[in-house]
Amino acid sequence: MLQHPAHCIALGFGAGLSPKAPGTVGTLWAWLAFLVLQHWLGTQQMGLLIGGGTLVGWWACTVTARHMGVSDPGSIVWDEVVAFWLVLWLAMPMGLWGQAVAFALFRYFDAAKPGPVGWADQLFKGFGWRGGWGILFDDFVAAFCTLLVIAVWRFFW
């Protein structure tokens, strides 16, 4: 992880090294980091962090996947981090239970890859910038699906 700065970012500052469920651990890290960061960053600053984190993450995921020799390694969790930050940023304010539901929905869409998430997962494969974007893209689609469910839930209840 410490051999290259990109590895540290892509591996979620160590969260992706979890021997079990690295994507879930990365999402939990994202949740905790968001809750801490929201005390210092306003709404606009958080949006800029997510945008910047996406661009830096694209680079970090591209480099790390190439160095690992695997097009989408499970230990790369920065995709979960920025995608879940996006969910929380757009869905807040929510209480702890609402955040837990958002977490569970996001993990479902990211892990099971139903419908559009599965399509997005297959769209950009391989190494290089295209593959690096592919690592991120399916998680953004999972975030969109999560936000859609939350929006429908809020509309009807």
Side-chain angles (χ1 to χ4, degrees):
M1 180 175 89
L2 300 176
Q3 291 177 348
H4 194 285
H7 300 177
C8 192
I9 295 164
L11 299 177
F13 302 98
L17 299 177
S18 172
K20 294 188 180 193
T24 299
V25 173
T27 307
L28 285 169
W29 185 92
W31 189 3
L32 177 62
F34 184 91
L35 293 177
V36 170
L37 288 169
Q38 74 177 351
H39 292 291
W40 290 293
L41 302 177
T43 303
Q44 185 177 7
Q45 293 167 316
M46 198 62 180
L48 291 171
L49 177 64
I50 293 166
T54 297
L55 294 175
V56 170
W58 186 359
W59 163 76
C61 292
T62 300
V63 169
T64 303
R66 185 181 68 231
H67 288 175
M68 293 178 78
V70 180
S71 63
D72 190 357
S75 59
I76 290 181
V77 297
W78 191 252
D79 48 338
E80 279 87 4
V81 172
V82 292
F84 195 60
W85 280 354
L86 181 65
V87 168
L88 292 174
W89 181 58
L90 293 174
M92 290 294 244
M94 293 188 291
L96 183 60
W97 285 110
Q99 293 171 43
V101 168
F103 174 85
L105 285 169
F106 177 74
R107 288 308 307 143
Y108 166 73
F109 284 116
D110 185 37
K113 301 195 184 320
V117 184
W119 165 81
D121 185 51
Q122 296 301 315
L123 195 57
F124 302 102
K125 286 293 186 187
F127 293 99
W129 293 105
R130 179 180 171 86
W133 176 247
I135 292 171
L136 294 164
F137 185 62
D138 68 302
D139 290 83
F140 283 125
V141 174
F144 172 78
C145 292
T146 300
L147 288 164
L148 184 61
V149 170
I150 291 169
V152 168
W153 171 59
R154 286 180 175 174
F155 181 78
F156 286 107
W157 287 277

